Amino acid sequence: MSKKQSFHHGDLKRVLFDVALTLLDRDGVDGVTIRAVAREAGVSHGAPVNHYRDRKALLTALAQRQFETILCSIEEGLSDAAGGSRVWIDVFGKAMLDFGFNFPNRYKLLWRGDLIDLQDAELSTVMDQIYDQLCDEIERAMPQSEFDRDTVAIAFWSMVHGYLDMRLSGMFVSLNDKVSGKPRDGALLDLFKMLVPQTLDI
């Protein structure tokens, strides 16, 4: 067991969060428990309760931060992207795919409604920001679509998440499209572009 350490009140919360994130990356969500975090941080088992009342609160805080990271990536991508009515497909798709492939255990946590508090105000806010921004971009790009923006958003998100989930679970492996030669994830985004009507550059 690590030697007990003394932390400033604010520092301990940050240390606990960082330790929990390290455990998540290394051991997956099952490895993130209050006892494990306290042990790795070198504090008593009761110390984390002052900052995270239970495991669900800790995992919810971890999930919130990861969604914030994805949102930042999306905002940067939209800011840097050249014009075009289908640019949102690449920006949102790349943000989710890159995050999932680079941080598989963090990505898996985001969809564990049994472990995180989906009613948490701060978590709900950032999740809504991502979804609303996706819907706004779709509405901008497809003002006369035969389907509402939510249908398009759900179809797109389902495709990206479904592929990621199967890749991370080992059901799919990393291969290239045999016709275009592109990696499968990029080819899927291109396929979705074919389903979305091209409008004037915006």
Side-chain angles (χ1 to χ4, degrees), residues 92-102 160 163-164 185-186 189:
F92 282 84
K94 190 174 185 326
M96 297 297 291
L97 289 163
D98 285 353
F99 184 84
F101 291 141
N102 290 328
V160 173
Y163 179 71
L164 259 172
D185 54 320
L189 297 183

Side-chain angles (χ1 to χ4, degrees), residues 128-162:
D128 288 345
Q129 282 180 296
I130 293 173
Y131 183 76
D132 290 344
Q133 193 158 13
L134 173 60
C135 286
D136 288 345
E137 290 296 321
I138 290 170
E139 191 167 51
R140 236 170 116 250
M142 304 170 61
Q144 298 180 343
S145 172
E146 296 180 8
F147 305 97
D148 69 33
R149 64 185 203 167
D150 290 289
T151 295
V152 178
I154 292 168
F156 177 72
W157 204 317
S158 297
M159 178 190 74
V160 173
H161 175 69

